C-alpha cells in the first residue's frame, strides 16, 4: 500500500515504451519563476523527450486580462491545441523540467476543457535525463486536429466567487505558496503585492507533495493534506501565486478520489494586488481536533 501511486501519474519506463504511438501526445510544459534562473524554451531546444511538443502556458492564455497565464476561453484553447495536433481523445502526457511544478497545471487545464486521458510524468525532464534516457532536438510538428471542448466551469473560481467563499467560509482553502509567503515572513516575488493569506486558508506548500520531483504515494498524500487541516470529505478550493502550483494540490486531491474541488485561477497575483480583498498574516489557525 505504501507504494500505491496516483492513477494520473506515469513512469518514465511506461512513457519511453509508448513513444511514437499515434494517439500519444507528449507536452513539455516547463515553466520557471525568475528566481529559478532557468529558461524553459532554451532547455526545450537543447533537448526534450523525443516527439514532445512545447506547451507555453503564457501563450495559450487569456491575454485580455492583466493577470499571468489566465485560463483561456474554451474556443481559444481548442483552436490553439488543435493547431498543435492535439485532440480531446488523445492520450496526453505532460512533463516539466523539475518534475512536479508546472505540469499539473496543464494536466488540470486539459481536464477542465474536456480531455479525459491526461497524465503527468513522474520525475519530469530532470529525472528523465538523470536516468540517461533518449532526448530529441527536433521541433515536433503534427497535422492539425479538431479539439472539441467540454468546458467544466464549475472547476474554476473567479474573483467575485472567491470573495464570497472567503467571506462566508463556505469552502476549505488550500494555499500552495511557500510557508513564508503565506505567513508574510517573506515578500511576494511580484512587485506591488501584499504578503499574507486569505482568512481561513490552510498552508500546503507545493513542494511537500514530491520527493526529488517524484509524486508521493497515496498514503503520503493523504497524510500531507490532512496534517494541514484539510478535511477530505469536504469541498476544497486551491490557490497559489498565479494559478500554476495550485494544480499540484488539485492533482493530489483527485488522486485520492476527492472530486469536489475548484481552482482559483487568479490566485494571489489577483487577490494580493487588490485593496478590496481581506488579507491576514501569521501561520494558519490551530487545527481543531
Amino acid at each position: 500500500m505504501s507504494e500505491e501511486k496516483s492513477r494520473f501519474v506515469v513512469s518514465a519506463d511506461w512513457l519511453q515504451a509508448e513513444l511514437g504511438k499515434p494517439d500519444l501526445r507528449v507536452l513539455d510544459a516547463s515553466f520557471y519563476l525568475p528566481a529559478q534562473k532557468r529558461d524553459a524554451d532554451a532547455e526545450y531546444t537543447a533537448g526534450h523527450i523525443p516527439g514532445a511538443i512545447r506547451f507555453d502556458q503564457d501563450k495559450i492564455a487569456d491575454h485580455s486580462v492583466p493577470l499571468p497565464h489566465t485560463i483561456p476561453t474554451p474556443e481559444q484553447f481548442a483552436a490553439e491545441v488543435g493547431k498543435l495536433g492535439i485532440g480531446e481523445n488523445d492520450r496526453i502526457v505532460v512533463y516539466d523540467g523539475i518534475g512536479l511544478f508546472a505540469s499539473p497545471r496543464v494536466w488540470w487545464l486539459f481536464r477542465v476543457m474536456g480531455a479525459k486521458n491526461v497524465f503527468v510524468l513522474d520525475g519530469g525532464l530532470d529525472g528523465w535525463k538523470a536516468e540517461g534516457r533518449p532526448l530529441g532536438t527536433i521541433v515536433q510538428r503534427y497535422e492539425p486536429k479538431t479539439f472539441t471542448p467540454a468546458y467544466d466551469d464549475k472547476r474554476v473560481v473567479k474573483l467575485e466567487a472567491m470573495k464570497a467563499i472567503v467571506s462566508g467560509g463556505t469552502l476549505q482553502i488550500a494555499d500552495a505558496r511557500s510557508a513564508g509567503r503565506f505567513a508574510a515572513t517573506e515578500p511576494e516575488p511580484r512587485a506591488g503585492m501584499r504578503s499574507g493569506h486569505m482568512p481561513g486558508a490552510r498552508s500546503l506548500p507545493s513542494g511537500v507533495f514530491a520527493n526529488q520531483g517524484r509524486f508521493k504515494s497515496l498514503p503520503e498524500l493523504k497524510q500531507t493534506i490532512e496534517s494541514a487541516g484539510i478535511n477530505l470529505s469536504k469541498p476544497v478550493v486551491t490557490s497559489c501565486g498565479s494559478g500554476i502550483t495550485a494544480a499540484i494540490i488539485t492533482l493530489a486531491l483527485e488522486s485520492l478520489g476527492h472530486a469536489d474541488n475548484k481552482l482559483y485561477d487568479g490566485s494571489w497575483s489577483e487577490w494580493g494586488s487588490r485593496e478590496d480583498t481581506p488579507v491576514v498574516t501569521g501561520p494558519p489557525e490551530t487545527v481543531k481536533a
Side-chain angles (χ1 to χ4, degrees):
M1 177 66 176
S2 62
E3 294 302 314
E4 188 180 355
K5 302 285 282 187
S6 169
R7 67 189 185 279
F8 300 115
V9 174
V10 298
S11 69
D13 283 342
W14 181 90
L15 179 58
Q16 187 170 346
E18 294 296 305
L19 290 179
K21 298 289 180 64
D23 66 332
L24 181 71
R25 294 292 181 267
V26 182
L27 308 184
D28 183 324
S30 299
F31 168 90
Y32 302 108
L33 298 172
Q36 292 170 304
K37 297 180 179 179
R38 292 178 65 167
D39 185 324
D41 289 335
E43 290 187 18
Y44 174 81
T45 301
H48 48 264
I49 293 176
I53 305 166
R54 179 79 180 104
F55 189 98
D56 191 328
Q57 302 189 54
D58 282 321
K59 290 181 180 177
I60 302 180
D62 183 354
H63 300 293
S64 69
V65 294
L67 297 171
H69 33 258
T70 298
I71 187 170
T73 65
E75 295 77 17
Q76 179 192 356
F77 180 84
E80 294 285 352
V81 302
K83 287 188 290 187
L84 295 175
I86 305 170
E88 74 276 8
N89 294 317
D90 287 332
R91 292 183 299 158
I92 302 165
V93 177
V94 190
Y95 73 85
D96 60 52
I98 296 171
L100 199 75
F101 183 66
S103 51
R105 164 73 182 200
V106 176
W107 166 86
W108 171 82
L109 182 58
F110 269 91
R111 282 167 54 82
V112 166
M113 293 295 178
K116 304 297 184 185
N117 302 310
V118 195
F119 308 92
V120 171
L121 174 64
D122 212 15
L125 187 61
D126 287 353
W128 184 276
K129 289 178 178 178
E131 294 170 356
R133 297 180 186 273
L135 294 172
T137 56
I138 296 172
V139 177
Q140 184 68 48
R141 308 287 186 192
Y142 291 102
E143 288 295 318
K145 281 189 174 183
T146 297
F147 185 101
T148 303
Y151 179 54
D152 187 355
D153 62 352
K154 297 185 297 297
R155 307 304 294 273
V156 184
V157 178
K158 300 296 186 180
L159 177 63
E160 292 307 315
M162 196 68 216
K163 287 181 179 180
I165 289 168
V166 171
S167 64
T170 54
L171 294 180
Q172 300 176 103
I173 304 168
D175 190 326
R177 292 174 303 143
S178 69
R181 290 168 65 188
F182 182 94
T185 57
E186 63 184 51
E188 286 294 312
R190 297 175 177 85
M193 289 188 192
R194 297 171 291 167
S195 296
H197 58 271
M198 301 172 209
R202 296 291 176 187
S203 178
L204 263 174
S206 59
V208 304
F209 293 97
N211 293 317
Q212 297 182 328
R214 301 188 187 281
F215 208 33
K216 287 182 174 180
S217 68
L218 296 184
E220 289 173 319
L221 293 175
K222 185 174 185 292
Q223 181 180 21
T224 296
I225 292 171
E226 290 182 337
S227 66
I230 297 294
N231 186 334
L232 287 167
S233 68
K234 296 181 179 180
V236 179
V237 58
T238 64
S239 183
C240 62
S242 62
I244 296 285
T245 58
I248 298 176
I249 304 178
T250 305
L251 175 60
L253 291 170
E254 294 279 342
S255 297
L256 292 168
H258 185 286
D260 193 0
N261 59 77
K262 311 168 187 287
L263 187 149
Y264 173 30
D265 194 41
S267 285
W268 202 256
S269 60
E270 181 173 53
W271 193 273
S273 63
R274 299 177 65 90
E275 297 298 327
D276 61 345
T277 48
V279 172
V280 294
T281 59
E285 299 81 356
T286 302
V287 179
K288 297 180 180 179

